[in-house]
Amino acid sequence: MCGIIGYCGHRPAVPLVIEGLRRLEYRGYDSAGVSFVQNGELSVIRAEGKLGNLEKKLESRNVFSATSAMGHTRWATHGAPVEKNAHPHLDHTGKLAIIHNGIIENYQAIKAELSAKGIAFRSDTDSEVLVNLIAECLKDTGGDVTLAISAALSRVEGTYAIVVMSLDHPGTLWATRVASPLVMGVGTGENFFGSDIPAFLPYTRDVVFLEDGELVKITATSWEVMDTATLAPIEKTVAHINWDVQAAEKGGYKHFMLKEIFEQPKVIRDCLLGRIDAATGQVRLPELDDMPAPERLHIVACGTSYHAGLWGMYLLEKYAKIPVQVEIASEFRYRDPILPKNGVVLAISQSGETMDTMAGIKLAKSRGLPVIGLCNVVGSSISREADHVVYSQAGPEISVASTKAMCSQLAALLLLTLYWGRRNGAMTEAACADMVRELTSLPALLENALPGLRTSAQHLARRYAEATSFLFLGRGPCYPLALEGALKLKEISYIHAEGYAAGEMKHGPIALIDPRFPTFAIALDDEFFPKVKSNLVEVQARAGEIIALTNEGLDLDVEHPWTLPRANGPLAAFVTLPALQLFAYEMADYLGKDVDQPRNLAKSVTVE
Ligand code: F6R
């Protein structure tokens, strides 16, 4: 989520690091910072907001003699996006600095332990805890930084990519990763770390891809990779890449949308981070601990976030037994809704800036209802206006058409269902633990499925590229997914599409069906299957062609059955959603449309 760059070489390191951060800005930012050793001093300079603010701060300083430095652009996951929480973070002695991307899940316990030893913390971050833990370990390793990092990380749970700098070793940097991106660039008389290749692409195309649990030490002229736990040396090969900067920003994918669709397994993992009690399999959402499970819930959102909310309604009602009403924010804000005193509003927004959703929140607050924001962007307007915030933790979404953000919203809604279902007694501990177990195995299932889904989507997009209209059908929790499939197709390929509840079709839209009007159905192995099947027979009776997302072994005779891997109950949505997204993506790409920036649309809708 954050941008990381580290440099050891022969050039002025600070300007090089700033320039590298500029190339990583697409990863999102709310603050930025650099650190370097110069004249026997370890300096850290940080600024809130865009990179330009940091550059302004640096203007008045002579920072040209340092030849190693590291820098960071932050996309907040813990702590408000303010300067004290910006990276790098120093330990309490001022001799070690760290930049960190990821989440240390057990940082609170470590922080308590270090605080008891008299260490004072200046930020709210887990990263500052980690650098102090490394500093503590340094006391037992005779000043050996490699050993200290290894010892500290043996105590840490979570995900991270870190780079560490030491005042006592000014020309050396250390880095390691677990489930957060980190690559090394190998140059001549200079070496680099980056969260992404564009960080150092103008200087070298020779890259070492680092794996989880590998620790690397670089100087200007050397690099060594070892096992973080045992420090045993690891042989690595240097790959040569041919990407240009743009391709590198997209991680080699043709578009950000495609990259973000493929990030969904990671998005699910990130959304769960720190929220599952490993021992009991129960959900932790400490941000909501001081309020009871709602007796009634009003979900307010727009567009894709509204579809996520509709999907959440099926879950919350079925499992947590909470009555739910889902509202399109632009309608809700101008109605005179009846909002009972025992109600709670859940506002869902990726950007956290959507004006209609914000207006819905204000209306709810004026009626005395507590508001929970489910947002992706930390520190956004909605997250500040809401009384409680649950972050969806999807990372920056660059493509205008929302994909991975919806996946994270579904994951968060599932967590809310389990959390409230336990708190109000609607779910048993065992039922919750079962669902959590399935949820944690979902990313691997999705990772395996995505390449095959893309191939099917490519094939179908070519077959139907001349269609001018589509009907998307689903029932139950697949109905909101049908709405989303239609929205994705129309917004990026400009092909007209309508999403409909399959059972409603016979009340009107069936009149549209003819051999040139294809239907895209969601007919999975669930309790709705027999009903959906009979709706599809009605389509076939009018000579309509059908693409159906389905599961193996189901008795369904349509032109294009598209078999998805099985996922139980509500988890099927996480496999269905990327199939719908990929179909829209492949169609738009095949038709030569501007996938990442479709006409007439904006990423953040801050107007009425
Ligand atoms: C569709 C899309 C939009 C947004 C909507 C709400 O791909 O991106 O429909 O979902 O504008 O935006 P947020 O979630 O930022 O409030």
Side-chain angles (χ1 to χ4, degrees):
M1 299 187 198
C2 308
I4 282 180
I5 175 167
Y7 176 75
C8 292
H10 49 80
R11 306 173 202 257
V14 176
L16 182 146
V17 159
I18 296 290
E19 189 202 311
L21 290 179
R22 168 109 26 242
R23 284 189 299 277
L24 294 179
E25 268 190 313
Y26 66 90
R27 293 181 69 90
Y29 46 80
D30 51 53
S31 57
V34 282
S35 67
F36 51 93
V37 178
Q38 196 171 269
N39 307 327
E41 228 181 86
L42 175 52
S43 303
V44 168
I45 301 172
R46 308 179 293 187
E48 194 177 319
K50 293 194 176 184
L51 197 54
N53 297 350
L54 176 64
E55 285 175 297
K56 267 198 208 98
K57 273 196 166 176
L58 286 165
E59 267 166 17
S60 55
R61 313 220 0 183
N62 181 350
V63 293
F64 294 101
S65 57
T67 53
S68 55
M70 61 187 193
H72 188 271
T73 50
R74 178 167 186 254
W75 167 270
T77 55
H78 272 81
V82 292
E83 186 180 329
K84 71 169 181 171
N85 291 332
H87 296 224
H89 289 281
L90 282 172
D91 79 308
H92 69 288
T93 66
K95 287 182 145 198
L96 280 185
I98 197 170
I99 51 180
H100 168 219
N101 178 6
I103 297 172
I104 305 298
E105 291 193 39
N106 58 339
Y107 82 101
Q108 268 155 336
I110 300 172
K111 188 172 185 174
E113 185 189 314
L114 296 175
S115 300
K117 292 185 178 174
I119 295 174
F121 292 89
R122 288 165 285 216
S123 77
D124 309 322
T125 65
D126 48 350
S127 317
E128 193 190 4
V129 174
L130 181 54
V131 73
N132 276 291
L133 181 64
I134 298 172
E136 263 315 276
C137 294
L138 209 49
K139 289 183 187 161
D140 302 326
T141 63
D144 185 322
V145 181
T146 312
L147 280 176
I149 293 173
S150 169
L153 292 180
S154 71
R155 301 204 36 214
V156 157
E157 288 160 26
T159 63
Y160 46 81
I162 58 168
V163 184
V164 177
M165 169 176 269
S166 159
L167 175 63
D168 296 333
H169 307 272
T172 305
L173 290 177
W174 292 259
T176 180
R177 59 161 281 183
V178 170
S180 268
L182 185 68
V183 285
M184 175 171 59
V186 179
T188 308
E190 55 188 352
N191 291 308
F192 305 80
F193 290 125
S195 48
D196 259 332
I197 293 170
F200 49 73
L201 201 56
Y203 302 98
T204 182
R205 287 169 183 274
D206 290 334
V207 174
V208 175
F209 293 99
L210 300 168
E211 303 297 332
D212 287 355
E214 290 180 345
L215 172 62
V216 196
K217 180 180 171 185
I218 62 169
T219 65
T221 52
S222 69
W223 55 272
E224 45 181 317
V225 182
M226 57 207 110
D227 184 282
T228 308
T230 64
L231 301 182
I234 296 176
E235 288 267 324
K236 299 292 288 185
T237 45
V238 179
H240 187 77
I241 53 120
N242 297 316
W243 301 344
D244 59 18
V245 171
Q246 260 208 336
E249 285 179 354
K250 294 174 191 147
Y253 289 98
K254 188 169 175 188
H255 297 100
F256 281 111
M257 180 176 176
L258 187 60
K259 176 175 179 244
E260 288 162 5
I261 292 172
F262 272 77
E263 275 171 10
Q264 289 175 111
K266 176 171 172 352
V267 161
I268 299 171
R269 280 192 194 103
D270 286 350
C271 184
L272 300 187
L273 267 181
R275 291 173 168 167
I276 305 295
D277 185 316
T280 61
Q282 303 301 292
V283 173
R284 292 192 299 226
L285 286 172
E287 50 276 58
L288 300 182
D289 280 351
D290 63 353
M291 65 183 284
E295 288 174 30
R296 317 181 62 86
L297 193 66
H298 303 265
I299 297 181
V300 179
C302 301
T304 293
S305 297
Y306 167 74
H307 297 155
L310 262 187
W311 181 84
M313 173 185 79
Y314 287 88
L315 254 71
L316 285 154
E317 293 194 339
K318 179 167 178 169
Y319 297 101
K321 304 292 176 216
I322 298 172
V324 181
Q325 227 169 309
V326 191
E327 312 271 2
I328 293 174
S330 55
E331 290 295 314
F332 177 75
R333 64 180 291 194
Y334 290 118
R335 271 186 17 231
D336 194 1
I338 311 293
L339 298 174
K341 288 276 169 271
N342 60 353
V344 171
V345 165
L346 175 67
I348 307 180
S349 175
Q350 185 286 129
S351 61
E353 302 295 343
T354 302
M355 181 180 267
D356 286 322
T357 309
M358 179 61 120
I361 292 181
K362 289 193 169 143
L363 172 66
K365 285 179 89 172
S366 73
R367 304 279 184 89
L369 265 69
V371 175
I372 304 168
L374 171 51
C375 298
N376 190 36
V377 179
V378 175
S380 54
S381 307
I382 290 177
S383 72
R384 281 183 275 120
E385 185 71 24
D387 303 303
H388 306 262
V389 195
V390 175
Y391 286 112
S392 56
Q393 300 181 178
E397 191 175 61
I398 312 288
S399 158
V400 166
S402 184
T403 55
K404 68 172 184 174
M406 180 166 179
C407 170
S408 70
Q409 290 164 347
L410 302 189
L413 283 159
L414 185 47
L415 291 178
L416 281 169
T417 303
L418 301 178
Y419 172 78
W420 281 330
R422 285 294 298 130
R423 289 201 59 191
N424 67 10
M427 287 190 82
T428 63
E429 189 172 331
C432 177
D434 280 351
M435 193 85 89
V436 163
R437 200 169 317 111
E438 301 220 20
L439 189 55
T440 43
S441 62
L442 198 58
L445 180 129
L446 198 50
E447 238 146 30
N448 288 333
L450 279 166
L453 292 183
R454 183 168 181 214
T455 309
S456 306
Q458 271 167 338
H459 165 75
L460 287 167
R462 277 155 189 64
R463 167 71 182 72
Y464 283 100
E466 279 171 17
T468 52
S469 229
F470 272 88
L471 184 62
F472 282 73
L473 296 180
R475 285 184 96 121
C478 292
Y479 162 53
L481 300 179
L483 294 179
E484 178 62 9
L487 175 62
K488 283 286 96 76
L489 187 66
K490 63 188 149 199
E491 71 181 326
I492 61 168
S493 73
Y494 318 144
I495 295 173
H496 170 254
E498 266 187 78
Y500 241 84
E504 263 296 284
M505 196 204 40
K506 56 185 170 298
H507 298 288
I510 197 164
L512 294 167
I513 303 293
D514 70 22
R516 282 160 297 123
F517 187 107
T519 294
F520 194 122
I522 308 173
L524 304 179
D525 191 2
D526 56 22
E527 72 260 42
F528 302 99
F529 178 73
K531 304 282 175 209
V532 176
K533 186 178 166 184
S534 61
N535 296 138
L536 296 185
V537 171
E538 292 159 10
V539 172
Q540 286 172 319
R542 274 93 191 155
E545 286 197 11
I546 297 173
I547 301 170
L549 290 172
T550 187
N551 298 118
E552 205 166 288
L554 288 180
D555 175 23
L556 187 69
D557 183 15
V558 295
E559 280 73 24
H560 301 287
W562 181 352
T563 309
L564 299 179
R566 263 165 213 280
N568 276 343
L571 302 187
F574 294 90
V575 188
T576 311
L577 182 63
L580 295 163
Q581 296 164 340
L582 283 164
F583 179 69
Y585 169 80
E586 292 299 343
M587 187 68 97
D589 187 39
Y590 185 66
L591 296 174
K593 306 298 184 211
D594 186 350
V595 172
D596 282 334
Q597 285 174 330
R599 67 187 182 201
N600 310 336
L601 295 177
K603 186 69 189 153
S604 184
V605 186
T606 51
V607 291
E608 268 205 62

